[in-house]
Amino acid sequence: MTILRILTAPNPVLRTTSKPVKKVDDALRAFIDDMLETMYHSENGIGLAAIQVGVHKRIIVMDLSGEDAPKNPKCYINPEITWTGEEVAIHSEGCLSVPEYYAEVERPAKCRVKYLDYRGKEHEQEAEGLFATCIQHEIDHLDGILFIDHISSLKRGMIVKKLNKAQREKAQAHTI
Ligand code: NI
């Protein structure tokens, strides 16, 4: 297995739309295993979308079991929200592609998601709590949306400015 490089904002690849997976085979499962390893290797990562490692495929991995519990790796291929409830919930969200920033995001508290599993079998499942937040956050990634798009433009502007500055400093640090 391989630990993949996670892209960070403002990388334009994160703003592109991912394509549906046509076939769930061993090669795809090997990539999913790499995504999981990358997520487990990251700091506090509980979800990761393929586009965050630069691959335009509609794949999400997730583990919501918490640090002290046994691992519970999950993958969602071609996930689709088929229903959202009217009630909303606010969670403090962060993202491996927007490091060190957290913001309160309002989303539907409950939703239903249809997806293919690691073996290519179709499921439809109701989500609430952290799972509902996480699956919506990750599906957003597949459509080029970041959690900062859901917060006020003033706050987003501040974060984007800092991310741009950090990127410039990083680029300069390599030009010796
Ligand atoms: Ni994210």
Side-chain angles (χ1 to χ4, degrees):
M1 283 193 278
T2 316
I3 291 167
L4 307 163
R5 193 170 69 92
I6 298 177
L7 306 180
T8 52
N11 191 315
V13 173
L14 292 167
R15 294 310 197 168
T16 56
T17 304
S18 300
K19 295 191 172 70
V21 168
K22 289 196 180 112
K23 198 173 159 204
V24 181
D25 56 12
D26 285 346
L28 192 84
R29 279 186 282 273
F31 171 63
I32 292 168
D33 292 344
D34 288 345
M35 282 180 68
L36 280 163
E37 198 182 9
T38 304
M39 181 185 76
Y40 285 129
H41 185 258
S42 70
E43 210 165 315
N44 301 322
I46 57 168
L48 185 72
I51 194 63
Q52 292 180 272
V53 293
V55 175
H56 289 92
K57 287 184 176 159
R58 301 189 79 85
I59 304 171
I60 290 165
V61 295
M62 211 183 278
D63 189 336
L64 304 181
S65 59
E67 260 176 53
D68 302 325
K71 281 183 183 173
N72 185 20
K74 298 274 185 193
C75 86
Y76 302 89
I77 301 166
N78 298 344
E80 254 177 77
I81 304 275
T82 54
W83 169 85
T84 49
E86 280 177 20
E87 191 194 331
V88 294
I90 298 171
H91 279 272
S92 177
E93 295 187 23
C95 180
L96 292 171
S97 293
V98 189
E100 290 164 38
Y101 292 97
Y102 298 88
E104 294 203 324
V105 178
E106 189 180 296
R107 299 182 188 272
K110 286 183 185 175
C111 64
R112 203 171 291 136
V113 59
K114 196 170 92 175
Y115 63 94
L116 302 178
D117 68 13
Y118 194 72
R119 296 281 155 211
K121 196 174 163 230
E122 192 177 292
H123 298 267
E124 191 162 0
Q125 193 179 342
E126 194 154 318
E128 60 180 317
L130 183 59
F131 179 40
T133 296
C134 199
I135 198 85
Q136 291 176 73
H137 173 120
E138 299 303 335
I139 291 175
D140 271 357
H141 274 301
L142 305 182
D143 295 318
I145 299 165
L146 298 173
F147 80 95
I148 50 173
D149 300 339
H150 293 284
I151 63 179
S152 78
S153 57
L154 184 74
K155 194 162 180 199
R156 182 170 59 249
M158 266 159 49
I159 293 177
V160 169
K161 213 168 133 187
K162 282 181 188 162
L163 287 167
N164 283 331
K165 188 168 172 258
Q167 202 197 33
R168 272 201 310 277
E169 278 167 5
K170 206 168 134 195
Q172 279 166 0
H174 289 287
T175 46
I176 8 175

